[in-house]
Amino acid sequence: MDDPGSFAASQAIFSLLSPADRDYWFSRVEELHLTQSEARELMLVLRDRQMWGETDADLPNSSGPGAPGGGRPGKAFMAELRSYYKTLRESGQDYLTHPMPVPPSRPIRFEEIRDARPLLGRCPVASEKTRCCNLYTLDAVFRCGYDCSYCSIQSFYDEGRISFHGNLKQKLEALDLDPEKRYHIGTGQSSDSLLWGNRDGLLETLSDFAARRPNVLLELKTKSANVDWLLSHELPENMVITWSLNTPSVIANEEHGTADLAARLVAARRCANAGLPIGFHLHPMVRYRSWEEEYDALFAALRGKFDPDELVMLSLGTLTYPKPVLRQIRERNFSSAVLRMDMEEIAGKYSYPREIKREMFARAAEAFAGWRDQVFFYLCMEDIDLWPEVLGRKYPDNEAFETDMLDSYFAKTNAIAERRRSSLTAD
């Protein structure tokens, strides 16, 4: 490489490296005449190990004509580096010995928008190469106040601005929805659905929308415990409250600012007690040291606290990254172990190898074997071939998946509503 200094200055992550790592990078690049792509790869390894809290691990130090493997010294060094990096990744994160520091809080300011940006869209990661439920997304709020390290919403962080529609009710009324078609619409893709409560009449407006659209299954997905407004108002039966759940280690180290697991489960239990339809998303499942024990405990907690006739769905999924999100994670000035994973490209995105996914999902599916006939289980945006191995079924296309899901969702919400009406009549 002709000018390492200019190249380093052009890379946002270089400024985040420690002085020692910057010196190491320059010494390897200059002494071994690394190519630009090799220099970039070395920079990524240094950044990742820094984010994982592994800076005490000895780095490869091959140099000079006598480098192991013979040939160009830089080539031999890169082989050592890749082996080192592979060993580091495969050792897995130990959150007990290397907990992630809480990142500095970022400012939040609220703004009202009244522009023509679309309110309704399709799932941003939809693909024909993976099985997708054809979810519609309703962007009632833009950007999130939580700081989950793996979340793609953080890619759109804009100086802490949280945007609410000043004319949300009018925009909802103007939506061109076919009254003869059923829709599954989620509000948790551009912000947490319950974090903001009923700010600016948000939940009231969404509840009214669902009540006037019985052909819509409106899902509010959250990592909060903020359910007081829901429990103090009469909600339409086609409004489902769901929680994204994870183990205590993942929540404490990677889901900054969110409610802890116990608080989420208490909130879900309160909603179920009130006769509201609920669901859970075990997404993203993360592989780290002791992941089996912690996920087993989470599965047991769900089985112990909830009955399958209270749940509309339970989904499984894991970490999946488009390239821009990988870059964004590394360019943030914080610590995270979410990239400490075996990673391969699948359908244009990066995720765990198929066998690792199968192991994780199968463990969860087996834990809930007794629920499988009463709760709609599905894999979120995963390889088509994983379905029969994990859940014992598959769909020929996304439309068949969507139809089966909607049939199950509406049947379950109707059954839950009927039990609630019967209970009120009995009282």
Side-chain angles (χ1 to χ4, degrees):
M1 188 192 310
D2 293 334
D3 189 354
S6 295
F7 178 75
S10 71
Q11 304 297 307
I13 65 172
F14 188 78
S15 64
L16 298 174
L17 299 181
S18 69
D21 280 351
R22 291 182 214 171
D23 290 343
Y24 177 86
W25 184 87
F26 271 109
S27 71
R28 300 299 87 199
V29 170
E30 292 173 341
E31 293 176 18
L32 301 175
H33 305 290
L34 298 185
T35 66
Q36 184 167 303
S37 62
E38 289 171 342
R40 169 70 175 168
E41 186 176 348
L42 172 57
M43 198 180 294
L44 294 179
V45 171
L46 294 172
R47 177 60 182 146
D48 282 355
R49 78 178 202 129
Q50 179 185 45
M51 293 182 70
W52 305 339
E54 293 283 6
T55 53
D56 56 343
D58 291 335
L59 286 161
N61 202 35
S62 298
S63 62
R72 182 171 67 88
K75 183 177 180 181
F77 168 76
M78 293 305 296
E80 283 192 56
L81 180 72
R82 288 163 189 150
S83 177
Y84 162 85
Y85 186 49
K86 183 175 186 290
T87 299
L88 207 59
R89 285 200 328 267
E90 291 180 350
S91 66
Q93 187 70 19
D94 187 340
Y95 286 118
L96 293 178
T97 60
H98 288 95
M100 300 293 102
V102 176
S105 60
R106 299 193 285 179
I108 288 180
R109 58 190 178 91
F110 298 98
E111 67 174 9
E112 181 182 288
I113 55 174
R114 290 179 176 269
D115 55 25
R117 74 183 72 182
L119 187 64
L120 198 65
R122 302 308 296 262
C123 176
V125 293
S127 168
E128 287 298 327
K129 296 181 180 179
T130 54
R131 192 53 70 228
C132 175
C133 68
N134 292 334
L135 174 75
Y136 284 82
T137 63
L138 199 156
D139 295 329
V141 181
F142 291 95
R143 294 174 291 276
C144 187
Y146 292 145
D147 199 5
C148 300
S149 59
Y150 53 78
C151 183
S152 61
I153 293 176
Q154 299 303 335
S155 300
F156 311 111
Y157 181 80
D158 184 13
E159 298 179 352
R161 291 189 300 169
I162 306 296
S163 303
F164 285 74
H165 295 277
N167 54 346
L168 179 60
K169 182 176 181 179
Q170 291 78 8
K171 281 194 168 186
L172 288 170
E173 291 175 348
L175 289 178
D176 185 19
L177 299 180
D178 183 351
E180 302 301 318
K181 177 182 176 179
R182 297 176 303 177
Y183 297 85
H184 175 204
I185 298 177
T187 69
Q189 276 58 49
S190 59
S191 189
D192 187 278
S193 296
L194 296 183
L195 170 59
W196 314 113
N198 193 41
R199 185 185 182 95
D200 290 356
L202 174 64
L203 294 180
E204 182 178 4
T205 301
L206 291 173
S207 179
D208 289 344
F209 166 73
R212 290 183 286 104
R213 302 276 191 169
N215 58 320
V216 167
L217 192 293
L218 185 64
E219 179 181 352
L220 307 184
K221 185 165 69 173
T222 188
K223 293 176 183 173
S224 80
N226 191 14
V227 297
D228 288 348
W229 189 92
L230 301 177
L231 296 175
S232 61
H233 291 78
E234 187 69 27
L235 301 183
E237 63 187 56
N238 57 328
M239 199 168 180
V240 180
I241 319 304
T242 66
W243 278 264
S244 177
L245 299 180
N246 227 307
T247 64
S249 285
V250 174
I251 292 172
N253 289 279
E254 308 290 358
E255 297 184 355
H256 305 293
T258 65
D260 63 26
L261 176 60
R264 295 184 208 183
L265 295 181
V266 167
R269 183 66 263 163
R270 291 177 66 199
C271 287
N273 288 345
L276 302 180
I278 65 170
F280 298 115
H281 300 283
L282 303 181
H283 191 179
M285 293 187 71
V286 180
R287 191 181 181 91
Y288 58 95
R289 296 186 200 177
S290 75
W291 71 272
E292 299 100 323
E293 293 86 351
E294 287 205 44
Y295 278 106
D296 286 350
L298 170 55
F299 305 152
L302 291 179
R303 294 194 308 267
K305 295 178 183 295
F306 301 92
D307 293 324
D309 60 3
E310 297 173 319
L311 271 64
V312 175
M313 85 283 280
L314 196 155
S315 76
L316 305 174
T318 190
L319 298 164
T320 303
Y321 303 112
K323 274 189 176 180
V325 176
L326 287 175
R327 183 176 63 250
Q328 182 268 340
I329 290 173
R330 288 182 169 120
E331 290 179 356
R332 284 197 58 196
N333 187 18
F334 75 149
S335 297
S336 169
V338 293
L339 298 187
R340 192 169 188 168
M341 57 187 284
D342 286 332
M343 197 180 299
E344 65 180 30
E345 186 175 0
I346 302 174
K349 301 177 181 68
Y350 293 84
S351 189
Y352 289 112
R354 184 180 181 281
E355 183 53 35
I356 289 180
K357 291 187 175 193
R358 190 204 63 77
E359 179 188 3
M360 297 174 74
F361 297 155
R363 192 179 191 93
E366 183 178 355
F368 294 104
W371 286 14
R372 298 264 291 278
D373 292 335
Q374 301 173 70
V375 178
F376 190 85
F377 282 75
Y378 70 95
L379 303 181
C380 184
M381 295 307 304
E382 295 294 344
D383 190 308
I384 295 168
D385 294 334
L386 280 171
W387 279 77
E389 296 182 28
V390 174
L391 297 177
R393 72 181 195 276
K394 64 179 181 179
Y395 299 98
D397 51 42
N398 291 343
E399 287 65 37
F401 175 23
E402 178 187 23
T403 297
D404 194 28
M405 172 182 277
L406 288 170
D407 286 345
S408 178
Y409 283 8
F410 279 98
K412 195 61 171 286
T413 54
N414 289 340
I416 291 172
E418 181 57 37
R419 284 201 306 275
R420 186 180 183 190
R421 285 191 290 269
S422 298
S423 175
L424 292 174
T425 300
D427 293 342

